[in-house]
Amino acid sequence: MIFYRLWQVMIDLDQSKYLNISCLNQPHSDIQNAGVYNPIFICVISHTETSNIPGITVAGANTDLIKYTSAADSEYLYYGYCKSMNKIPVTPDGKPTPAVISRTALQLADIPLFVVDGGSFIKPSIPLISFGLKPGKNIIYGDAVDISEVRKAYDYGIILGRQLAKTNDLIVIGESIPGGTTTALGVLTALGIDAKFKVSSSMPKNPHDLKNRIIAECMQKININFDSIKSDPFTAISYFGDPMIPTVAGICDGGVTSGGRVMLAGGTQMSAVIAVLKALRRPLDNVFIGTTSYVADDLSANLLELMNSISPEVPVYVIDLHMNESEYAGLQAFAKGFIKEGVGAGGLAITASLKSRGRINGSVLLKAIERQYELTIKMSD
Amino acid sequence: MIFYRLWQVMIDLDQSKYLNISCLNQPHSDIQNAGVYNPIFICVISHTETSNIPGITVAGANTDLIKYTSAADSEYLYYGYCKSMNKIPVTPDGKPTPAVISRTALQLADIPLFVVDGGSFIKPSIPLISFGLKPGKNIIYGDAVDISEVRKAYDYGIILGRQLAKTNDLIVIGESIPGGTTTALGVLTALGIDAKFKVSSSMPKNPHDLKNRIIAECMQKININFDSIKSDPFTAISYFGDPMIPTVAGICDGGVTSGGRVMLAGGTQMSAVIAVLKALRRPLDNVFIGTTSYVADDLSANLLELMNSISPEVPVYVIDLHMNESEYAGLQAFAKGFIKEGVGAGGLAITASLKSRGRINGSVLLKAIERQYELTIKMSD
């Protein structure tokens, strides 16, 4: 089937090797390059108070800083530094935000960028496509997102996706939401997908037990018929999700139904978006996932199995960024189980390679990421 | 000179007749069609309390409704009706918002739309590119726009314009700000341009005396050296302008300096934007004005003379929409001195014609505008 889909970003075997891109769930030999000429990147920034639960995320050094993560990431994408806070988005021991990769890919391939405020906490100092959403609440204490907010996020997403598909042949959507893998686990579980021990983490020691316990407690507290919720993803998001999920799902839906192609740039969080679209019976023909090999190869998670149980027909593209070959320990960390992905890093690296028809290959990208990292570190001097 | 500008939207004599498009200040015979393939429309919505001055604008039936005008216009562009208010944007005697023309052109030519909140008062229920600006104050009572807000509007505009130029070969910028011709007059006057009796109006009886008196009073009140302000347009906007002007100027600057082409879709208000860019010594090579013949032929104003005194090298394109031939009195009103222009109507009609390479000609457009008008009127039944 996949072979006949003209729309697809198709890479033949040799070129995929050159680009360090592979497809996780479809045979390489079936894939040829259909071309990406006019892509656009949409970064959805959101907040969920679920990220306040200690031990749930590495993003931000402490609870106060977690609130600034999304704003810092999006300012960093535009400016190369953060305006709203005096900190650079790098941990004290030098591990950077994955936006270092995203910014590098955006610049190298001259890809336009828009940031969507899908319920952020701190508003970044940039032009911001506002959906007028509130941040998500902690799923432990009850409804995470008002059902009216879920619908609004989805409806506004459709409007935006439609506009974007008119002049862009690929809409790449990334996200920045601390604590997002836990809410993704919640939504997947509520939709009847066995996602335990499969969602990824920004830390090498994935706090699966903590995440599983949170979701189990939530489900116990809420006295609803879980069979009925399986075909009602908006309610699932309302109880267990975050405002990022319906925002991204809506943009994806609007883009695809207007004849566009959409790359969901991220790991297991984007699988929750796919699960929502699937439950809504929305078309997934022109949708695929693009992520880093650090998510795909993550032994403490299982993106492939997750995607196979949700929607095996959605191709999962993976890029090896060769961060292990970097001279910087902060960048090597990506290959050692830290950060792994986020802010659309993997999908943007793939898109940069495709748009440049292979000119931006693995070694070009790694060198440019290192230069970007050096600039970022210098800012803190 | 104009002849050699490859970038320009160029129409030869015959085609321009067919499209009902002409160039006001450049000889037709020099102009050939360079093509518009991938345009995007940006509608900047703003508010100035200057619009509270009785008699200054026809937009909105009364002072309270004036505040809703921009929000109503932008919701109408997306939905064909207004969400934030129960009113349709049509006066009691059937004169519609110029957004009727804009929406028709957007739909016919499948042009993507983004709305920028450049200091609006009521926030419309749509995805909105927010610049985080406050509405402008009444210029009678002192500073109209904080100088920091002027700079922010311009800086954010540059960021947005840069992104838009990456995937769009023409950025069409329109505006919706009630009372905007008065603040335009203020900025033009402060920049040393004799604009008295030259700015347009949404009413057939142009309240020139009122506008001139307001500006004269403001200039008397403010004890500054007007010679110094001539080369300091940000200060001029701060004293006499509105937040729309620096927002549009910034988007235009960002678009042009990134290799894009920009059509300022509007009448005399857009001449104030050109005056600001000129005073800032920003490039105007790829900038032009697109408006309706109702502004261009307005005997109570003088766009051509105004543009000649500001920047004669910027081409002014004009479209005749043949509204006088409409079967509806509400649409005939455009040809009788009412409304005339706004929400990018003229520029969008020109762009729709160009993108469709003449398929969307004057008669196609008029028929579609009439259908749009019928739908709009039906909403009120």
Side-chain angles (χ1 to χ4, degrees):
Chain A
M1 280 304 288
I2 198 82
F3 181 76
Y4 298 101
R5 285 190 203 144
L6 266 178
W7 51 264
Q8 223 165 349
V9 175
M10 294 181 274
I11 313 133
D12 66 32
L13 195 60
D14 281 353
Q15 202 179 359
S16 76
K17 202 174 161 191
Y18 178 60
L19 295 175
N20 310 297
I21 299 169
S22 57
C23 190
L24 213 64
N25 53 349
Q26 312 286 355
H28 286 192
S29 51
D30 285 348
I31 306 172
Q32 289 177 7
N33 200 337
V36 170
Y37 302 95
N38 221 4
I40 190 162
F41 178 55
I42 304 299
C43 181
V44 174
I45 59 168
S46 305
H47 186 75
T48 166
E49 288 176 5
T50 311
S51 62
N52 292 347
I53 302 170
I56 226 162
T57 177
V58 80
N62 61 46
T63 310
D64 270 356
L65 283 177
I66 287 169
K67 289 177 186 159
Y68 285 89
T69 305
S70 302
D73 277 341
S74 50
E75 289 177 354
Y76 179 80
L77 285 181
Y78 271 122
Y79 305 120
Y81 61 91
C82 301
K83 275 198 165 181
S84 296
M85 55 194 282
N86 275 330
K87 289 260 176 198
I88 52 161
V90 175
T91 62
D93 62 342
K95 293 183 191 75
T97 166
V100 170
I101 300 165
S102 317
R103 182 171 157 85
T104 306
L106 286 170
Q107 286 189 326
L108 279 182
D110 203 27
I111 299 166
L113 155 73
F114 286 105
V115 177
V116 171
D117 179 3
S120 68
F121 186 80
I122 302 287
K123 306 300 171 196
S125 296
I126 54 168
L128 194 59
I129 303 181
S130 173
F131 278 19
L133 302 172
K134 293 188 281 275
K137 298 210 186 82
N138 190 332
I139 54 175
I140 285 182
Y141 302 121
D143 291 4
V145 190
D146 284 353
I147 190 84
S148 64
E149 293 266 298
V150 177
R151 290 209 184 91
K152 187 180 179 186
Y154 199 91
D155 289 346
Y156 281 23
I158 287 177
I159 293 174
L160 179 62
R162 277 184 192 151
Q163 305 307 315
L164 295 171
K166 288 181 190 187
T167 42
N168 300 281
D169 63 351
L170 179 67
I171 304 168
V172 183
I173 315 177
E175 51 66 39
S176 175
I177 172 170
T181 55
T182 304
T183 40
L185 174 63
V187 170
L188 287 165
T189 307
L191 292 176
I193 294 147
D194 178 16
K196 274 181 210 158
F197 304 101
K198 288 176 194 156
V199 294
S200 202
S201 164
S202 52
M203 298 173 285
K205 206 169 148 40
N206 197 332
H208 281 305
D209 291 339
L210 175 62
K211 291 178 187 175
N212 293 341
R213 204 172 59 234
I214 292 166
I215 302 304
E217 271 179 34
C218 288
M219 297 192 88
Q220 262 183 336
K221 261 190 201 168
I222 301 164
N223 187 19
I224 50 164
N225 178 351
F226 278 98
D227 272 338
S228 74
I229 221 174
K230 279 178 193 166
S231 54
D232 184 2
F234 284 179
T235 302
I237 295 167
S238 172
Y239 282 126
F240 307 105
D242 60 59
M244 180 279 288
I245 295 174
T247 302
V248 174
I251 300 170
C252 182
D253 190 352
V256 168
T257 50
S258 304
R261 297 181 295 181
V262 175
M263 182 194 275
L264 299 176
T268 45
Q269 287 174 259
M270 289 304 178
S271 75
V273 173
I274 300 274
V276 166
L277 289 165
K278 186 90 179 174
L280 290 170
R281 299 168 188 270
R282 303 307 299 153
L284 291 168
D285 286 348
N286 288 351
V287 180
F288 51 101
I289 280 186
T291 189
T292 64
S293 57
Y294 310 118
V295 167
D297 300 343
D298 184 1
L299 293 175
S300 77
N302 202 328
L303 175 63
L304 183 58
E305 212 174 281
L306 201 51
M307 281 305 297
N308 277 344
S309 65
I310 299 165
S311 191
E313 73 273 24
V314 173
V316 178
Y317 287 97
V318 166
I319 188 163
D320 179 2
L321 294 163
H322 293 279
M323 297 291 241
N324 57 320
E325 295 166 24
S326 170
E327 53 181 302
Y328 295 106
L331 295 178
Q332 287 168 20
F334 280 84
K336 289 177 178 164
F338 292 92
I339 317 138
K340 296 188 191 83
E341 171 63 287
V343 200
L348 272 174
I350 293 170
T351 306
S353 295
L354 292 171
K355 188 184 174 189
S356 68
R357 303 191 74 74
R359 189 183 52 76
I360 301 168
N361 59 23
S363 77
V364 169
L365 206 48
L366 179 60
K367 269 182 203 152
I369 291 168
E370 287 186 321
R371 273 196 299 273
Q372 186 66 52
Y373 181 71
E374 288 159 15
L375 283 171
T376 309
I377 294 296
K378 265 188 198 155
M379 295 271 178
S380 66
D381 288 348
Chain B
M1 278 304 289
I2 198 82
F3 181 77
Y4 299 102
R5 285 190 201 145
L6 266 177
W7 53 265
Q8 222 166 350
V9 175
M10 294 182 273
I11 314 132
D12 66 31
L13 194 59
D14 280 353
Q15 202 178 358
S16 75
K17 202 176 165 191
Y18 178 60
L19 296 174
N20 310 297
I21 299 169
S22 57
C23 191
L24 213 65
N25 54 349
Q26 312 287 353
H28 287 190
S29 51
D30 285 349
I31 306 174
Q32 288 177 6
N33 200 337
V36 170
Y37 302 95
N38 220 4
I40 190 163
F41 178 55
I42 304 299
C43 181
V44 175
I45 59 167
S46 306
H47 186 75
T48 166
E49 287 176 6
T50 310
S51 63
N52 293 347
I53 302 170
I56 226 162
T57 177
V58 81
N62 61 46
T63 310
D64 269 356
L65 284 176
I66 287 169
K67 288 175 185 160
Y68 284 88
T69 305
S70 302
D73 277 341
S74 50
E75 289 176 354
Y76 179 81
L77 285 181
Y78 271 122
Y79 306 119
Y81 61 92
C82 301
K83 276 198 164 182
S84 296
M85 56 192 283
N86 275 330
K87 289 260 175 198
I88 52 161
V90 174
T91 61
D93 62 341
K95 293 183 190 75
T97 166
V100 170
I101 300 166
S102 318
R103 182 171 157 84
T104 306
L106 286 169
Q107 286 190 327
L108 279 182
D110 202 26
I111 299 167
L113 156 73
F114 285 104
V115 178
V116 171
D117 178 3
S120 67
F121 186 79
I122 302 288
K123 306 300 171 194
S125 295
I126 54 167
L128 194 59
I129 303 182
S130 172
F131 278 19
L133 302 173
K134 294 187 281 277
K137 299 210 186 80
N138 189 332
I139 54 174
I140 283 183
Y141 302 122
D143 291 3
V145 190
D146 283 353
I147 190 84
S148 64
E149 294 266 298
V150 177
R151 288 208 184 90
K152 188 180 178 186
Y154 199 91
D155 289 346
Y156 281 22
I158 288 178
I159 293 173
L160 178 62
R162 276 185 192 151
Q163 305 307 314
L164 296 171
K166 287 182 189 184
T167 43
N168 301 282
D169 64 350
L170 179 67
I171 304 167
V172 183
I173 315 175
E175 51 65 40
S176 175
I177 172 171
T181 54
T182 304
T183 40
L185 173 64
V187 170
L188 287 165
T189 307
L191 291 176
I193 294 146
D194 179 15
K196 273 183 213 158
F197 303 101
K198 288 177 195 158
V199 294
S200 203
S201 165
S202 51
M203 298 172 285
K205 206 169 147 44
N206 198 331
H208 282 304
D209 290 340
L210 175 62
K211 291 178 187 175
N212 293 340
R213 203 172 60 234
I214 292 166
I215 302 304
E217 271 179 33
C218 287
M219 297 192 89
Q220 260 183 338
K221 263 189 199 167
I222 300 163
N223 188 18
I224 50 165
N225 179 352
F226 279 98
D227 272 338
S228 74
I229 222 175
K230 280 179 193 166
S231 53
D232 184 2
F234 284 0
T235 302
I237 295 167
S238 172
Y239 281 126
F240 306 105
D242 59 59
M244 180 280 286
I245 295 173
T247 302
V248 174
I251 300 170
C252 182
D253 190 353
V256 168
T257 49
S258 303
R261 296 180 296 181
V262 175
M263 183 194 274
L264 299 176
T268 44
Q269 286 173 260
M270 290 304 178
S271 76
V273 173
I274 300 271
V276 166
L277 289 165
K278 186 89 179 177
L280 289 169
R281 297 167 188 269
R282 304 305 300 153
L284 290 169
D285 285 347
N286 288 349
V287 179
F288 52 101
I289 280 187
T291 190
T292 64
S293 57
Y294 311 118
V295 166
D297 300 342
D298 184 0
L299 293 176
S300 77
N302 202 328
L303 175 63
L304 182 57
E305 212 173 280
L306 201 50
M307 281 305 297
N308 277 344
S309 66
I310 298 166
S311 191
E313 74 273 23
V314 172
V316 178
Y317 287 97
V318 165
I319 189 164
D320 179 1
L321 294 163
H322 292 279
M323 296 291 241
N324 55 320
E325 294 166 23
S326 170
E327 52 180 304
Y328 294 106
L331 295 177
Q332 287 168 18
F334 280 84
K336 288 178 179 166
F338 292 92
I339 317 139
K340 297 189 190 82
E341 170 62 290
V343 199
L348 272 174
I350 293 170
T351 306
S353 295
L354 292 172
K355 189 185 174 190
S356 69
R357 303 193 73 74
R359 189 183 53 76
I360 302 167
N361 59 24
S363 77
V364 169
L365 206 49
L366 179 60
K367 269 181 202 150
I369 290 168
E370 287 185 323
R371 274 196 299 274
Q372 186 65 54
Y373 180 70
E374 288 159 15
L375 283 171
T376 310
I377 294 296
K378 265 188 197 153
M379 294 274 176
S380 65
D381 288 348

